[in-house]
Amino acid sequence: MKTRPDGRKFDELRPISAKAGIVKNADGSAMFKIGDTIAYAAVYGPRELYPKFLQDPTKGILRCRYNMMPFSGAGERVKPGPSRRSTEISMVTEKALLPVLNLEDFPNAVVDVFIDLPQTDAGTRCAGICAASIALADAGLWMREMVSSVSVGKVNEDILVDLTYEEESAEGEVADIPVAYLPKSGRVSLLQMDGEISKDELVKALELGRQASLQIYEVQKQTLLDKYRGESNEE
Amino acid sequence: MGLLVNDKQIVIPGEDLASGMDFLPSHGTFRDGEHIVAAKLGISSVDNRIIRIIPLSGKYMPKAGDNIVGRVVDVTINGWRLDINSAYSAMLSVKDATSEFIARGADLTKYFNFGDYILTGIINVTSQNLVDVSMKGPGLRQLGEGRIIHVNPYKVPRIIGKQGSMVTMVKDATSCRITVGQNGVVWIQGLPEDELVAVDAIRKIEQESHIPGLTERMKEYLDRRKRKVDSNENKA
């Protein structure tokens, strides 16, 4: 049987570790590490939103900022500040998280999510969404369920889960598909694709991703339980 | 069918709490078809047929009837705007602030200036979360010198204790005046070294509120700290 460059099986995730409550000044925060990709998410709010014209009197708004740190990549320094790419990823992160939130109780307010990546090896938006999901729960916000995200793809006939940068940039026919699943309801809140894939292969890839997302969900759950363990004896 | 979690168990958003129609969803939960699902991180609480989540974290949400400590952040034409450690600020209007006559157009900073802390009561919260507070009520006043600490608003009931037993114990042991706002802002006034003991004690309550036997532990802790302060004084 063929294996991948790092010896994983096709449907195997990279090693994951996560921790909640790492940013003391934030209302909620989390670190999510998958392989060599590390994402930190900090949630502030709900808090008052200024400038005032951004306020929505019918509901609170969610603002995400995705940021790769300058030294995070493997090669060239990443130019700091927003770019076309990071602006887009911020937007899709926001749209991946919004379906589970209910901000109607917070008119005119904002929930800020800051995602920073000190080290990257592909799958950054997925790691960012996983971290943000833990951080939002840690911040005590109303959430329908968690969001678990993973990338799937095709590298030269092989359908893979959780691609590394090496696989993503391989020669030949490559498709990279980041997906965010709502693990409980089985819905999908983010689906993007780079490259080409046939319909049958896509369906197969998404099914592998769904299985993987359940493993990620378990990690997210344990992470939150670890932070609050012991508090259950509350009288 | 039936309950899927234990009482007083930590649950995360999206976890199923119960299935079937035998239970009713309350705070922090919702019904999704057959299931009652947690919508917040917290502790499950089952009271007969009613299931709710006691949250462990999150910002303070203003509620009418709460007594809260606010800081003056703005002075407007007809009152003061207070920061109340929440997503929203509160408005204290002149007519709710004092029974004294204040002429129109008077300089309101003479009464409360920027940065002053005030103990107020929430009289009304609108659908848009505009918060009206008043100083008409027993004990509501401006808080003078002292120190302010912020605690998790969900731990406030433990800091106060049953009928104020816990906070009274800290007050007696440290001979400080202490005011705990429902919004998690605590004002402490006393001798500097006593204030430090009170701050540490409140932090300890906040951290250990879940471990049984808190009252005894705090009593012992306060005794120990007090003896230390006394012996330091004797040395000096």
Side-chain angles (χ1 to χ4, degrees):
Chain A
M1 191 186 150
K2 275 203 292 182
T3 54
R4 297 162 68 173
D6 52 6
R8 278 186 292 157
K9 289 189 221 108
F10 289 172
D11 60 348
E12 193 179 337
L13 291 164
R14 289 176 280 177
I16 306 175
S17 62
K19 195 168 186 337
I22 44 149
V23 181
K24 214 180 161 195
N25 285 342
D27 294 303
S29 58
M31 180 277 287
F32 188 88
K33 179 172 188 280
I34 181 159
D36 286 333
T37 299
I38 305 176
Y40 285 88
V43 173
Y44 293 82
R47 59 181 179 183
E48 280 179 295
L49 174 56
Y50 291 103
K52 207 162 182 176
F53 67 84
L54 292 174
Q55 293 182 352
D56 183 342
T58 61
K59 62 178 190 306
I61 68 163
L62 178 71
R63 265 196 310 204
C64 293
R65 196 215 50 184
Y66 164 100
N67 179 44
M68 262 166 82
M69 291 184 180
F71 49 81
S72 63
E76 285 279 282
R77 167 177 181 266
V78 181
K79 195 177 162 218
S83 62
R84 185 205 61 75
R85 178 174 175 276
S86 69
T87 312
E88 178 200 313
I89 297 177
S90 300
M91 189 267 279
V92 297
T93 303
E94 207 171 286
K95 294 195 167 169
L97 296 170
L98 209 49
V100 299
L101 293 173
N102 177 7
L103 297 173
E104 275 168 24
D105 290 341
F106 302 103
N108 296 326
V110 65
V111 174
D112 277 311
V113 180
F114 298 104
I115 298 164
D116 282 277
L117 298 129
Q119 185 175 301
T120 58
D121 182 24
T124 54
R125 72 194 71 188
C126 298
I129 290 169
C130 292
S133 171
I134 303 171
L136 286 167
D138 183 34
L141 285 163
W142 195 102
M143 285 172 90
R144 180 163 274 278
E145 59 183 295
M146 300 292 286
V147 185
S148 308
S149 179
V150 68
S151 69
V152 294
K154 184 183 141 185
V155 180
N156 297 323
E157 307 308 311
D158 299 332
I159 307 292
L160 307 178
V161 162
D162 191 20
L163 280 68
T164 61
Y165 184 73
E166 190 186 347
E167 289 164 331
E168 210 178 82
S169 54
E171 284 290 317
E173 211 177 309
V174 176
D176 170 32
I177 309 164
V179 203
Y181 296 90
L182 313 186
K184 211 176 134 256
S185 59
R187 280 181 276 207
V188 168
S189 67
L190 166 80
L191 183 61
Q192 293 184 294
M193 179 162 83
D194 262 348
E196 266 179 47
I197 196 165
S198 73
K199 189 184 166 191
D200 292 341
E201 286 168 328
L202 176 65
V203 170
K204 196 183 159 202
L206 289 179
E207 191 43 45
L208 287 182
R210 185 181 304 282
Q211 300 303 325
S213 76
L214 294 175
Q215 292 173 36
I216 293 177
Y217 171 72
E218 282 306 316
V219 173
Q220 291 176 313
K221 182 174 170 181
Q222 278 311 319
T223 304
L224 285 167
L225 294 184
D226 281 347
K227 182 182 170 191
Y228 290 95
R229 190 179 307 286
E231 308 242 352
S232 61
N233 290 326
E234 200 135 9
E235 289 138 306
Chain B
M1 284 310 237
L3 213 54
L4 301 173
V5 292
N6 299 324
D7 196 14
K8 313 277 185 253
Q9 181 184 332
I10 302 175
V11 293
I12 68 164
E15 237 180 299
D16 285 334
L17 300 174
S19 75
M21 293 297 168
D22 295 341
F23 291 94
L24 298 168
S26 181
H27 293 289
T29 64
F30 63 96
R31 179 173 285 289
D32 183 19
E34 278 282 283
H35 294 280
I36 292 176
V37 184
K40 278 190 174 176
L41 179 81
I43 295 165
S44 62
S45 161
V46 186
D47 185 12
N48 289 324
R49 298 175 57 211
I50 295 169
I51 301 184
R52 66 189 184 102
I53 299 290
I54 304 162
L56 289 168
S57 59
K59 280 268 167 108
Y60 169 71
M61 271 309 271
K63 194 164 94 262
D66 280 0
N67 284 356
I68 56 171
V69 175
R71 189 183 87 239
V72 177
V73 287
D74 198 5
V75 180
T76 65
I77 194 94
N78 54 2
W80 298 265
R81 187 158 285 283
L82 308 178
D83 173 37
I84 55 167
N85 192 28
S86 157
Y88 300 92
S89 55
M91 197 62 208
L92 174 66
S93 69
V94 168
K95 77 172 173 31
D96 291 321
T98 165
S99 47
E100 202 178 313
F101 174 75
I102 299 178
R104 279 183 68 136
D107 180 12
L108 294 181
T109 58
K110 274 185 198 156
Y111 301 90
F112 303 122
N113 208 341
F114 299 99
D116 287 353
Y117 282 88
I118 314 174
L119 177 62
T120 58
I122 300 181
I123 35 183
N124 190 25
V125 182
T126 70
S127 67
Q128 293 305 97
N129 286 336
L130 301 173
V131 183
D132 278 327
V133 293
S134 157
M135 292 185 65
K136 289 182 177 160
L140 302 182
R141 65 188 193 283
Q142 184 179 353
L143 302 170
E145 290 173 358
R147 60 181 79 209
I148 293 282
I149 59 167
H150 293 258
V151 299
N152 182 344
Y154 295 98
K155 303 280 185 184
V156 166
R158 306 310 309 273
I159 291 168
I160 293 175
K162 286 196 178 89
Q163 271 108 45
S165 57
M166 189 67 85
V167 75
T168 310
M169 191 167 85
V170 179
K171 278 182 194 170
D172 292 345
T174 60
S175 44
C176 284
R177 299 171 73 195
I178 302 176
T179 295
V180 186
Q182 291 292 331
N183 56 342
V185 182
V186 183
W187 172 83
I188 301 163
Q189 184 190 52
L191 294 172
E193 52 270 35
D194 292 338
E195 282 179 3
L196 287 177
V197 176
V199 170
D200 289 349
I202 289 169
R203 290 268 174 249
K204 193 173 159 72
I205 300 172
E206 193 188 3
Q207 271 160 25
E208 300 181 8
S209 63
H210 55 281
I211 305 169
L214 182 66
T215 315
E216 277 75 59
R217 226 155 349 106
M218 288 314 297
K219 196 173 275 170
E220 193 216 339
Y221 175 79
L222 287 165
D223 278 350
R224 202 169 62 228
R225 285 299 297 265
K226 226 174 104 188
R227 252 181 278 132
K228 218 165 145 193
V229 170
D230 288 346
S231 66
N232 283 347
E233 270 167 13
N234 291 341
K235 266 182 225 158

